[in-house]
Amino acid sequence: MTAQANPQAGPLDFFWFIPTHGDGSYLGSEQQQRPPEFAYFKEIAQAVDRLGFPGVLLPTGQNCEDSWITASGLAALTEKLKFLVALRPGVTLPTFAARQTAALDRLSNGRLLLNVVVGGNPTELAGDGVFLPHDERYAQAQEFLTIWRALVSGQSVNFNGKYYRVDNGRLDLLPSQERPPLYFGGSSDAGQELAADLVDMYLTWGEPPAQVAEKLAAARKKAERRGRKLRFGIRLHFIVRETEEEAWRAADRLISHVTDAQIENAQARFTKEMDSVGQRRMAELHGGRRDRLVVSPNLWAGVGLVRGGAGTALVGSPEQIVERIREYQAIGIDTIIGSGYPHLEEAYRVAELLFPRLGLGTKRAQAHENIANEFAVGFHGANRLQASS
Ligand SMILES: Cc1cc2nc3c(=O)[nH]c(=O)nc-3n(C[C@H](O)[C@H](O)[C@H](O)COP(=O)(O)O)c2cc1C
């Protein structure tokens, strides 16, 4: 079923990802690796801006280039692209984050979105000076976002909480947007409570549709209890090829260098070191086993053998992947944050193979249909000659 043929398919935002920790063609191998360099991020950002992706996600973590600084550099080099910038409440003050928000939103002419990332790895968080246990990190984030939201909306703030005190806080320079939207991905109960209270878009990792449906229902219920409505998004890798066979070959190739020791190491980190419910749900999909990677039709968990966070990919022909996307849309997803290795080439594949079938992307390609070149039917002006004869 094509997108155009499905009248129920609502609007879809298809974002991409800037790999600020590096990129490559083979997981678990330095062969054909691309280091995290600004010049490369610029190539990806400019390509996806031109291809009609509406935005990009910039992650945060010990191994990532800073999301704010990178986004402000890229904003000046792109036109329409929005920047979903990771914001980690525990490592900065809400007042300072509000000022940065206003500056980046103004600099980018209102193209800033924020992804609230509380963090799920106590070892990494301790390295950043954050020592709060899981649920308390969310309690701190609750205070943080309450102050941040008031400041960026132009209110002056007096706040006396458990984690922050602010006397007569205010922003003289406000963001371009009324308030830059808040995105958030946490699967725990405490995370969902925070989402229900304060965020606009609830994000999930790419779990099978039934699990996503169950998770969204729980978050939706919590929001409804507060008289609020959430939007929903999903984070997935994509391996789309003209045929299903080609796509599965590409998936196998991507993990062809991964060793058993690497898998064991990574899984130990995800299950023992981290306290993230979302990460545990991802690890449980495959249990670190190479023979359990197809977790639902066209959904492959191979990336999660060695990568934390986004561990699943939709693998298949364009028609199959569009069908899977429509299934996610039917349970309430209206935003996809995609990626693929390497991120530049796979952005082109997604835009060329999926976007036309999803009714997405720029219309520029169509405007050039009549150009006489080696891609035109009949070669070198034959179309025009036919038209005039
Ligand atoms: C789409 C998405 C993007 C995320 N990006 C990051 C990130 O950049 N850095 C990070 O440390 N955690 C990231 N996370 C993880 C969560 O924000 C959260 O910190 C962690 O999973 C703990 O939440 P939980 O126990 O409620 O699941 C992301 C999660 C999702 C769903």
Side-chain angles (χ1 to χ4, degrees):
M1 181 165 46
T2 64
Q4 291 88 336
N6 181 355
Q8 278 136 32
L12 181 68
D13 279 339
F14 203 129
F15 283 43
W16 200 244
F17 182 79
I18 303 290
T20 57
H21 53 282
D23 200 5
S25 293
Y26 295 101
L27 301 182
S29 168
E30 282 167 19
Q31 194 180 318
Q32 293 178 40
Q33 207 186 63
R34 296 179 193 171
E37 290 173 346
F38 185 77
Y40 180 54
F41 308 152
K42 175 176 136 187
E43 279 186 66
I44 299 173
Q46 291 184 329
V48 299
D49 196 20
R50 199 168 39 75
L51 291 167
F53 287 84
V56 283
L57 172 67
L58 294 103
T60 183
Q62 225 160 34
N63 59 351
C64 299
E65 196 77 278
D66 181 76
S67 53
W68 291 79
I69 305 271
T70 306
S72 67
L74 295 176
L77 299 164
T78 47
E79 292 168 15
K80 296 198 189 116
L81 197 66
K82 294 184 180 168
F83 294 90
L84 178 50
V85 175
L87 162 64
R88 201 188 276 281
V91 300
T92 182
L93 284 172
T95 44
F96 181 63
R99 204 154 291 150
Q100 283 191 306
T101 299
L104 185 45
D105 197 49
R106 292 160 67 87
L107 177 153
S108 65
N109 294 319
R111 290 185 285 145
L112 177 61
L113 313 164
L114 289 162
N115 190 30
V116 180
V117 170
V118 170
N121 184 337
T123 308
E124 182 185 303
L125 287 163
D128 283 343
V130 177
F131 294 91
L132 298 176
H134 183 277
D135 284 8
E136 221 186 322
R137 294 200 293 272
Y138 281 112
Q140 183 192 42
Q142 179 97 16
E143 289 192 6
F144 182 105
L145 292 179
T146 304
I147 297 166
W148 177 92
R149 277 180 62 129
L151 286 171
V152 300
S153 307
Q155 298 163 29
S156 54
V157 172
N158 283 292
F159 190 92
N160 197 355
K162 181 169 175 196
Y163 305 97
Y164 304 103
R165 179 178 158 192
V166 178
D167 291 344
N168 298 317
R170 67 159 209 273
L171 288 186
D172 287 349
L173 298 172
L174 288 171
S176 289
Q177 302 175 82
E178 209 164 292
R179 172 178 65 75
L182 290 176
Y183 290 46
F184 166 83
S187 303
S188 59
D189 218 46
Q192 287 198 343
E193 298 289 346
L194 178 81
D197 271 335
L198 289 160
V199 313
D200 305 294
M201 167 79 75
Y202 180 76
L203 299 170
T204 173
W205 298 127
E207 297 176 6
Q211 280 164 257
V212 171
E214 165 213 327
K215 197 195 269 189
L216 302 198
R220 195 180 280 122
K221 211 166 174 195
K222 288 188 177 77
E224 277 167 6
R225 263 190 240 127
R226 291 149 165 98
R228 293 190 73 238
K229 222 172 154 216
L230 289 169
R231 285 178 58 200
F232 296 109
I234 191 164
R235 172 85 180 89
L236 281 160
H237 300 281
F238 285 83
I239 304 179
V240 58
R241 297 293 184 272
E242 286 175 48
T243 66
E244 181 179 10
E245 296 69 35
E246 273 181 88
W248 285 114
R249 264 201 307 278
D252 289 340
R253 183 173 162 270
L254 180 63
I255 57 167
S256 59
H257 291 47
V258 171
T259 65
D260 290 347
Q262 285 172 335
I263 296 174
E264 215 172 290
N265 243 325
Q267 296 308 309
R269 219 165 4 100
F270 303 153
T271 52
K272 298 198 187 103
E273 193 175 302
M274 297 184 69
D275 62 8
S276 157
V277 172
Q279 182 62 59
R280 198 188 66 222
R281 286 171 69 108
M282 286 308 279
E284 282 170 0
L285 288 178
H286 51 76
R289 285 177 47 179
R290 291 178 198 264
D291 60 343
R292 273 182 40 191
L293 296 180
V294 181
V295 294
S296 70
N298 302 101
L299 188 65
W300 179 72
V303 178
L305 289 175
V306 288
R307 186 199 197 279
T312 50
L314 281 178
V315 181
S317 67
E319 292 74 20
Q320 289 173 315
I321 293 189
V322 167
E323 209 174 317
R324 301 284 92 86
I325 289 175
R326 296 309 185 198
E327 285 167 8
Y328 282 117
Q329 280 187 279
I331 55 178
I333 297 286
D334 70 26
T335 296
I336 290 176
I337 302 170
S339 54
Y341 298 98
H343 288 69
L344 183 60
E345 287 88 330
E346 294 300 314
Y348 270 94
R349 286 207 167 95
V350 163
E352 290 173 353
L353 294 173
L354 291 183
F355 278 9
R357 291 168 169 89
L358 290 166
L360 303 176
T362 45
K363 302 279 176 270
R364 276 182 207 164
Q366 288 165 19
H368 289 191
E369 262 169 15
N370 290 327
I371 286 186
N373 62 15
E374 65 269 48
F375 303 106
V377 181
F379 293 107
H380 297 287
N383 284 348
R384 249 175 288 164
L385 285 177
Q386 270 168 8
S388 61
S389 63

